[in-house]
Amino acid sequence: LKDKLLTNTGSKDIEFNRLENKSMIDITFINKPFKNIRFEPKHLKPYEIYVGYTHSENVIVNLNKFPHVLIGGDTGTGKSRLLLAILTNLIYNSNVTIHLLQVRKNDLGVFQNCKQVISYSKSLDDVRDSLRAIDNELQKREILIDNTKGIYNVEDFNKKETYKLKYNYVVIEEFSFLNISKGDSKGEKKIKSECLRYIKNLVNVGRSSGIFLITSLQKPTADSIPTDIKAQLTTRISLTIKDKIGRASCRERVF
């Protein structure tokens, strides 16, 4: 009914919130557009990301609870701008490590000289090498996070040990460049296969190790991202996607 309500009320947007323990829904009609908005970084925990705001509150996601991020949206809908805002806020809070990985694009280049950025990759070979190093770090952390010692995640480790582990963010812009396609050469398929293996390891065990993936792509379908990887990206942000299949693929869980 949302479209009908928007048409008949002339509202800019509508928010629906289910009231706990009641068979009722609270409906908020937003009549005034945002004006004169200025982005200001927020002080957050190293495992939190800032993705925007509603008419009444900031939208902050705890990646310890909802690890790994998928941003979907057609060209020109703001995916890169959203990544810039997320990264700006992460760098503002400083106590993190960031890996920027992209192929045939350079939108993330503005951050390459920031002290938090320890790897910046612009080619398929570079991305593979960075992911290999990240996988090595992941394996080291799996040894340190020992359940037999009552250490179940990075937070537990940092509370008990003098040496502190930083949260790591692996940012891949336009994931489809890493997905294997029919037009790839034999060498490209080999490199992409290795990249996907490292990424699968990351999304499967990265939560407890404090290593999170943030990625974006235009169409979050099986042609652009493997379903077993997408299933582990539990924070999903859907911008405008005109294709119905693409919308359904991204909106299984949306913030």
Side-chain angles (χ1 to χ4, degrees):
L1 297 176
K2 183 174 181 178
D3 289 340
K4 291 184 178 180
L5 289 171
L6 285 171
T7 300
N8 286 280
T9 62
S11 298
K12 301 296 182 183
D13 199 3
I14 299 174
E15 288 188 353
F16 299 88
N17 295 292
R18 179 183 176 184
L19 300 179
E20 287 190 30
N21 303 319
K22 294 182 179 180
S23 299
M24 301 179 68
I25 294 176
D26 177 80
I27 304 177
T28 302
F29 293 86
I30 303 169
N31 296 313
K32 295 181 179 180
F34 290 116
K35 291 183 179 180
N36 300 322
I37 296 169
R38 180 181 177 85
F39 170 77
E40 293 184 5
K42 312 296 179 185
H43 286 287
L44 301 178
K45 304 294 184 182
Y47 48 79
E48 293 177 326
I49 61 169
Y50 175 66
V51 298
Y53 46 80
T54 68
H55 68 287
S56 59
E57 62 183 0
N58 293 310
V59 181
I60 297 167
V61 181
N62 182 339
L63 293 188
N64 279 338
K65 294 182 177 179
F66 303 103
H68 314 304
V69 182
L70 171 63
I71 303 170
D74 293 339
T75 299
T77 57
K79 296 189 304 299
S80 295
R81 291 290 179 179
L82 179 55
L83 273 177
L84 295 181
I86 291 172
L87 284 167
T88 297
N89 211 80
L90 285 172
I91 290 170
Y92 173 76
N93 287 285
S94 76
N95 194 30
V96 297
T97 295
I98 298 172
H99 305 267
L100 302 178
L101 313 182
Q102 51 190 359
V103 180
R104 294 169 57 187
K105 296 190 75 175
N106 194 33
D107 293 341
L108 304 179
V110 65
F111 298 109
Q112 64 177 303
N113 294 322
C114 294
K115 65 179 182 179
Q116 295 84 359
V117 177
I118 63 171
S119 68
Y120 175 71
S121 305
K122 289 173 44 179
S123 70
L124 192 56
D125 287 322
D126 289 343
V127 170
R128 186 262 320 275
D129 293 342
S130 293
L131 286 171
R132 182 184 293 154
I134 293 166
D135 190 66
N136 289 335
E137 175 65 18
L138 191 62
Q139 292 180 48
K140 292 177 183 177
R141 293 189 175 206
E142 287 182 75
I143 296 172
L144 294 174
I145 298 171
D146 188 349
N147 294 355
T148 63
K149 297 180 180 179
I151 299 175
Y152 294 91
N153 51 46
V154 167
E155 283 188 282
D156 291 340
F157 180 88
N158 287 342
K159 288 177 182 177
K160 294 188 175 185
E161 303 294 335
T162 303
Y163 171 72
K164 308 300 182 184
L165 294 173
K166 288 187 177 182
Y167 280 87
N168 276 228
Y169 287 86
V170 181
V171 181
I172 300 176
E173 186 171 18
E174 194 51 55
F175 193 99
S176 60
F177 285 129
L178 297 181
N179 211 27
I180 299 172
S181 62
K182 294 180 180 179
D184 291 335
S185 67
K186 186 176 180 180
E188 288 173 330
K189 289 180 179 178
K190 182 178 179 181
I191 295 173
K192 288 184 178 182
S193 178
E194 188 175 352
C195 289
L196 292 175
R197 186 174 75 251
Y198 294 138
I199 294 171
K200 288 177 184 178
N201 292 340
L202 167 57
V203 297
N204 283 329
V205 300
R207 176 181 182 176
S208 61
S209 299
I211 302 179
F212 301 122
L213 173 67
I214 300 176
T215 188
S216 66
L217 71 172
Q218 293 183 32
K219 300 291 188 239
T221 60
D223 292 334
S224 300
I225 183 169
T227 55
D228 54 349
I229 291 178
K230 188 180 76 173
Q232 300 297 326
L233 309 182
T234 59
T235 292
R236 300 183 186 179
I237 304 169
S238 178
L239 304 177
T240 302
I241 302 177
K242 295 180 180 179
D243 178 74
K244 291 183 178 179
I245 297 176
R247 288 201 302 270
S249 298
C250 194
R251 289 180 176 170
E252 294 167 19
R253 176 173 288 164
V254 180
F255 283 92

